[in-house]
Amino acid sequence: MKTDFLVIGSGAAGLSFALKAAEKGHVTIVTKGEMVECNTNYAQGGICSVTYEPDTFEKHITDTLVCGAGRCDVQAVELVVRRAPELIQDLIAWGTRFNKTPDGRFELNREGGHTEHRILHYEDLTGAEIERALIQSVRQHPNITVLEHHFAIDLLTQHHLGEFVTRHTRNITCFGAYVLNEKTGEILTMLSRFTIVATGGCGQIYSSTSNPHVATGDGIAMCHRAKAHTENMEFIQFHPTTLYNPGETPNFLITEAMRGFGAILRLQNGEEFMDKYHPMKSLAPRDITARAIYREMTRRGEDYVYLDVTHKDPDAIRDHFPNIYEKCLSIGIDITKDWIPVTPAAHYSCGGVKVDLNGQSWVKRLYVLGEASCTGLHGANRLASNSLIEAVVYGDQAAKHTIERFDKVGFQEGIPDWDFEGTQHTEEMLMLIQSKREVQSIMSNYVGIVRSNLSLGRAMHRLSILFEETEELYNKTKPVRELCELRNMIAVAYLVIKQGRELQESVGCHYNTDYQKKA
C-alpha cells in the first residue's frame, strides 16, 4: 500500500498538516481509534496568539522563555509566536469558531504564566472545536484517506532491508510503517514518500492523567526504536487542577482559564496558600502550582485542595465554563456556590522526538509534530495554551518542507511484508492489564511531581523486569493493540526515567529533591 504522505495520528498537528499536504499529493491518515480520540479534543483552555495591544510578540516570547526555565530553543519560540496570528486565520478558514465580544473582537482569556490576555477560546471546549472543524475539512477533502482503528506498530527503515542500523548510523531513512488493521488483524506494509508521526503524548504511563486512554506514547516509542533522537523526556508537566472524582479515568480537566478568570486555590480548611510559593499566586506557572498543591496535600495527608470561583458572577461562570459547570453539577457540585475539589495529574510531555524548525527528525523523511515532538518551544515547562498553536505552526512548516522536496523523493521497494504470525496465549494476554497498571504505579510513585535519585533508580529497576517480560511475550505473540501499547508505554517510561537520571539538577517540571537547593 503506497501513499505520498503517511500521517500517524489525528490531532491538530496531523490533520492541519494533512490538509496542506493534500494540495500536492495523496495523504493517508492512520489513527488507532476514531479520529476524535486525541489529546486535542480534550484541550479546554484555548490557543495562544498575540492579537491586540497592549500585547506584543516580545511579551509572548518573554513569557514562554520565563516559563521554560531557561531551557527553551529561542528560534523555536520566535517561530511559533510570530507565525501564530497567521495560523489562527487558517484555523478560522477551516471553520473553527472562537468566542467574541459584543463589538466583534476576540474574547481573550489569560492563564498561568501569561502577563497579558492572549488566549483565544471557544467556551471551555476549544480543543474539541478545533478538532471538529479539522475533521470536517479532512473528511471533505478528495485527496485524503482516513483509516480509523488502524494501529501503527513500527516505522520502516534500512533495518527492514537487512541493513545493520544503530543510533549513530548515518543517513537512516524512514520508508513508511507496518500498520495493524484492528478489525481484521491484518498487518499492512504502508510505504510513503514522507512519514509524519503526530500521535500525541504519553500521559497514560501515569495512574492519574488528564490524557485520554489512547495517549500511550506510541509515536515517541516507534521513533525511538527507529533510532530517532529524543530530548527533554524528563519534563512531564502535571496539570495542577483536575477534578478530584475517585474512580473516574481519565481525570476531568479544570482549565487554567478558570484561575485566569479569578478562581482561587484554597486548602480544605479554606486557607489560601499560593502566596507562599509565587508572587502571581494562583496564576503561577504550572510546575510551581502543581508542586505547591502536592506539598500541601502531602503535609496534611489530604487527597485534594479546592478551587474557589464562587465570588464571581454566577451567570458569567456558566457562560465562560458551561462544560465544567455541567460536569461538576453531574456529581453534585454547583461551581457557582460550591468549591471544586482538585488534584494534580499528568498532563503534557514537554519533550519528545527532537526535530528541527521544519518538524523533521534526525531520521530522514520522518517528521514528528505536536506533543510527540520536542521542538524546544516548551523548554523545561510549557506555557499554558502554547501547545495547540505549536501543533499548527509546525504542521505548516512540515507541509511546506515536504512539498518542496516531493519530486525528489520516491518509494522504497523491497520492504518485506510482516511474516511472523505468532500465537495467542490467553493467560499471558490477560496479564497485560496488570502489567499496564504496574507501569502506571511505578511512574506515579517514583517519577511523579517530586522525585529523587533513589526513586528514579528504583523505578528503573522495576521497569526493567516488566520490559523483559513484555519483550518475551511480544516476540512470540501475534501483535495486538493492547500488547503494542504496553510495549510503547514501557519504552517511553524508560526514556523519562533515563533522562531524568541524567539531569542532575532540579529545573522546571523535573524536581529532584537531591538537587532542590539548586532549584
Side-chain angles (χ1 to χ4, degrees):
M1 189 172 183
K2 294 181 179 179
T3 185
D4 295 319
F5 304 94
L6 174 60
V7 177
I8 305 172
S10 59
L15 298 188
S16 63
F17 169 89
L19 286 167
K20 294 182 176 181
E23 300 305 313
K24 179 65 176 180
H26 186 264
V27 179
T28 300
I29 298 172
V30 168
T31 183
K32 66 181 181 180
E34 304 289 335
M35 271 213 288
V36 76
E37 293 179 46
C38 60
N39 277 5
T40 296
N41 198 52
Y42 283 71
Q44 291 179 348
I47 185 168
C48 285
S49 178
V50 172
T51 306
Y52 305 125
E53 294 181 346
D55 200 10
T56 64
F57 289 145
E58 288 69 26
K59 288 180 180 179
H60 190 179
I61 290 167
T62 298
D63 289 348
T64 301
L65 295 174
V66 169
C67 192
R71 295 302 181 98
C72 300
D73 182 314
V74 177
Q75 284 187 297
V77 176
E78 291 263 0
L79 172 71
V80 172
V81 169
R82 295 187 183 280
R83 294 211 63 206
E86 172 190 351
L87 274 301
I88 291 293
Q89 293 305 312
D90 284 352
L91 290 175
I92 293 172
W94 286 322
T96 304
R97 300 166 294 178
F98 293 111
N99 282 16
K100 292 186 176 182
T101 61
D103 61 359
R105 289 163 60 91
F106 288 114
E107 182 183 81
L108 302 178
N109 284 340
R110 181 184 170 197
E111 297 182 348
H114 291 271
T115 56
E116 296 289 349
H117 288 70
R118 64 170 68 98
I119 315 299
L120 290 89
H121 68 102
Y122 179 74
E123 298 178 349
D124 54 352
L125 292 167
T126 310
E129 170 60 16
I130 291 172
E131 187 71 6
R132 179 203 61 78
L134 290 173
I135 288 176
Q136 183 175 349
S137 297
V138 162
R139 291 202 183 280
Q140 293 173 348
H141 202 294
N143 226 14
I144 300 177
T145 299
V146 179
L147 299 178
E148 295 176 309
H149 301 289
H150 280 66
F151 186 96
I153 298 174
D154 262 326
L155 301 173
L156 304 174
T157 65
Q158 285 94 328
H159 170 77
H160 297 93
L161 294 171
E163 298 181 23
F164 181 68
V165 177
T166 72
R167 197 166 300 279
H168 304 290
T169 300
R170 293 180 180 273
N171 300 325
I172 298 178
T173 305
C174 180
F175 306 125
Y178 284 129
V179 176
L180 170 67
N181 182 330
E182 294 182 47
K183 293 185 177 180
T184 67
E186 180 185 6
I187 297 176
L188 308 173
T189 303
M190 300 193 66
L191 303 181
S192 60
R193 298 176 191 266
F194 301 99
T195 302
I196 292 79
V197 171
T199 52
C202 58
Q204 284 292 324
I205 65 174
Y206 288 90
S207 299
S208 296
T209 178
S210 62
N211 291 186
H213 294 291
V214 295
T216 50
D218 304 318
I220 299 171
M222 279 192 296
C223 293
H224 171 65
R225 289 192 292 268
K227 313 304 179 186
H229 297 166
T230 59
E231 191 173 88
N232 290 355
M233 288 300 300
E234 68 272 33
F235 299 128
I236 300 292
Q237 186 178 77
F238 285 74
H239 198 288
T241 55
T242 66
L243 181 64
Y244 178 73
N245 187 27
E248 180 179 13
T249 59
N251 290 36
F252 182 82
L253 193 67
I254 305 296
T255 174
E256 195 157 338
M258 186 169 282
R259 285 183 282 135
F261 181 70
I264 298 169
L265 285 164
R266 299 184 185 277
L267 300 175
Q268 290 189 25
N269 64 10
E271 177 188 343
E272 293 184 44
F273 61 93
M274 281 304 299
D275 57 328
K276 297 186 293 184
Y277 296 96
H278 197 274
M280 294 180 76
K281 299 181 180 179
S282 291
L283 272 174
R286 286 183 178 174
D287 60 326
I288 294 170
T289 306
R291 278 199 303 274
I293 294 172
Y294 172 84
R295 285 171 175 165
E296 295 295 338
M297 291 193 310
T298 302
R299 185 159 57 187
R300 288 168 171 75
E302 297 171 347
D303 295 325
Y304 59 89
V305 297
Y306 281 114
L307 190 63
D308 174 18
V309 73
T310 58
H311 53 284
K312 305 293 286 187
D313 177 67
D315 291 334
I317 294 172
R318 285 187 286 265
D319 181 58
H320 279 80
F321 309 106
N323 185 47
I324 295 174
Y325 175 78
E326 292 296 334
K327 171 63 180 180
C328 290
L329 202 61
S330 73
I331 61 171
I333 300 169
D334 182 345
I335 64 174
T336 66
K337 303 174 183 177
D338 306 318
W339 296 349
I340 309 168
V342 294
T343 188
H347 182 60
Y348 191 87
S349 173
C350 296
V353 181
K354 180 63 178 174
V355 298
D356 62 17
L357 293 174
N358 295 310
Q360 185 171 215
S361 75
W362 185 78
V363 175
K364 293 183 177 180
R365 291 163 54 180
L366 175 62
Y367 294 73
V368 188
L369 307 175
E371 194 174 347
S373 71
C374 180
T375 64
L377 170 68
H378 308 301
N381 181 44
R382 177 180 66 112
L383 181 66
S385 292
N386 260 357
S387 48
L388 283 176
I389 195 62
E390 175 195 40
V392 293
V393 166
Y394 273 85
D396 184 75
Q397 293 286 114
K400 289 178 177 177
H401 195 246
T402 53
I403 288 172
E404 288 173 359
R405 304 171 62 214
F406 185 88
D407 295 329
K408 301 176 183 178
V409 174
F411 297 97
Q412 177 64 52
E413 303 296 341
I415 299 289
D417 289 335
W418 190 280
D419 61 356
F420 177 73
E421 289 298 325
T423 58
Q424 296 284 357
H425 298 270
T426 304
E427 183 178 346
E428 289 179 310
M429 298 304 287
L430 289 174
M431 294 181 67
L432 292 178
I433 296 175
Q434 180 58 32
S435 294
K436 179 179 179 179
R437 288 173 178 166
E438 285 187 52
V439 174
Q440 295 170 329
S441 177
I442 289 168
M443 296 301 291
S444 295
N445 291 331
Y446 299 122
V447 200
I449 296 173
V450 175
R451 310 158 183 181
S452 69
N453 290 338
L454 177 61
S455 72
L456 292 172
R458 285 185 177 177
M460 185 66 84
H461 174 68
R462 285 156 173 74
L463 191 70
S464 65
I465 298 172
L466 283 171
F467 169 77
E468 292 174 2
E469 293 173 350
T470 304
E471 287 300 298
E472 180 183 358
L473 180 60
Y474 180 81
N475 289 330
K476 66 181 182 183
T477 304
K478 183 177 181 179
V480 293
R481 171 174 164 175
E482 292 79 9
L483 176 57
C484 293
E485 285 182 328
L486 173 61
R487 188 175 182 236
N488 292 337
M489 290 171 64
I490 291 171
V492 172
Y494 161 79
L495 291 171
V496 174
I497 298 167
K498 177 179 180 290
Q499 293 179 20
R501 296 178 78 182
E502 291 170 351
L503 180 60
Q504 297 183 4
E505 63 175 310
S506 282
V507 58
C509 296
H510 176 73
Y511 189 84
N512 187 325
T513 56
D514 289 297
Y515 308 107
Q516 57 185 323
K517 291 182 180 179
K518 300 178 183 179

